[in-house]
Amino acid sequence: MFKFFSKKKKIKVNLHSVIIPDQGWEKVSEDHHAIRWVNPQQSALIVLHYFDKEPDLPTAKDLAYLKKFYRNIAATSNGGTIETDIVQIHDIPCVKTIIKVPQQETGMIYIASITIPFENCSYVVKIQANEIGITGMRDAVILNNLIETGEVTIEEETIANWFEDPYDPDFKQGTLMNKSELEKYDHEFPEHPLSVARSLLQSIAAEIQFKPEIKELPSFKK
């Protein structure tokens, strides 16, 4: 008797099916779902997450929707969007984000991530870098320079043309990105947590490795 139907074999992947450069940092913890590395000198953390379930990502195709989606997520924590993009890693569409969230006392926490989605699972690389010590130096230097050039002005005790969502100038919620957080200033402040987070995310995206079983996973359709 012919067997017309057979159960689809589930492809076996795990946390170690994706390999990221750890920068030589200290591994502080590992379980079935995440590996964490820290660099105490930079107050920075790298985490590789594995989620064995359907991604809760709304899409990996519609960039305009993703920009709105992450903008609203950041604003709910009184934060702001720095960057949202769709990037190709080993021919797989992945979602790249950088957001900032104010710390309780002073300064910002910058969270940069790449989500690698598949039909029934996903991987997320997350970098968190906190402002420590004297904060606001990058902002102050760039702000002063832009006031001198007239690109930013002070009008009735408010700073005009300084704070703005990178994709929607009409959006005013949360703590908006300011002009000092543009990527073009990273080389002037290489130790700033945003520069660190952005640089790490770029190098990880360029060097990340997938084991053969990853290529067999059904793709994320949304």
Side-chain angles (χ1 to χ4, degrees):
M1 192 173 185
F2 293 105
K3 193 173 184 180
F4 291 99
F5 302 99
S6 60
K7 190 175 181 181
K8 191 175 180 180
K9 183 179 179 181
K10 186 176 180 181
I11 299 163
K12 292 184 178 179
V13 297
N14 56 45
L15 177 63
H16 295 281
S17 297
V18 169
I19 303 169
I20 65 171
D22 61 15
Q23 314 301 316
W25 292 10
E26 177 187 358
K27 183 166 73 172
V28 292
S29 68
E30 178 179 345
D31 52 45
H32 292 300
H33 305 291
I35 309 174
R36 302 167 185 85
W37 299 267
V38 296
N39 184 337
Q41 285 73 33
Q42 292 179 318
S43 188
L45 170 75
I46 299 173
V47 187
L48 172 63
H49 292 279
Y50 168 59
F51 298 99
D52 188 17
K53 60 182 180 180
E54 181 182 347
D56 57 5
L57 193 68
T59 178
K61 298 177 181 177
D62 188 339
L63 182 56
Y65 187 90
L66 285 168
K67 288 175 179 178
K68 181 179 179 181
F69 178 75
Y70 283 104
R71 177 190 303 130
N72 291 332
I73 286 179
T76 60
S77 300
N78 194 32
T81 294
I82 304 294
E83 183 178 351
T84 303
D85 202 2
I86 297 171
V87 297
Q88 296 286 327
I89 299 179
H90 299 299
D91 298 321
I92 296 171
C94 303
V95 178
K96 173 185 175 183
T97 64
I98 304 176
I99 66 171
K100 66 174 182 178
V101 179
Q103 298 185 102
Q104 284 190 348
E105 295 184 0
T106 184
M108 294 287 160
I109 299 171
Y110 292 93
I111 302 170
S113 68
I114 293 175
T115 300
I116 309 165
F118 299 96
E119 185 177 66
N120 297 308
C121 68
S122 64
Y123 293 82
V124 178
V125 178
K126 185 176 81 172
I127 297 154
Q128 179 175 317
N130 300 9
E131 280 195 284
I132 57 175
I134 300 174
T135 63
M137 290 296 294
R138 173 173 174 157
D139 308 51
V141 170
I142 302 302
L143 176 59
N144 184 65
N145 291 344
L146 295 182
I147 288 175
E148 288 183 354
T149 63
E151 186 175 341
V152 171
T153 58
I154 298 179
E155 303 172 0
E156 299 180 356
E157 300 183 355
T158 63
I159 305 174
N161 201 33
W162 174 247
F163 294 103
E164 188 175 87
D165 180 90
Y167 307 115
D168 183 357
D170 295 324
F171 188 82
K172 303 299 181 184
Q173 299 176 38
T175 304
L176 297 173
M177 178 181 179
N178 67 62
K179 280 189 162 51
S180 77
E181 293 165 325
L182 291 169
E183 187 174 1
K184 66 181 181 180
Y185 297 118
D186 284 1
H187 74 280
E188 297 181 38
F189 303 90
E191 300 303 317
H192 188 273
L194 175 56
S195 305
V196 170
R198 192 145 44 198
S199 175
L200 282 172
L201 201 66
Q202 290 171 350
S203 64
I204 289 172
E207 299 176 36
I208 193 168
Q209 299 177 41
F210 294 165
K211 290 188 177 178
E213 60 265 27
I214 289 290
K215 292 293 187 178
E216 300 177 23
L217 286 173
S219 60
F220 186 63
K221 301 296 193 302
K222 295 181 182 178

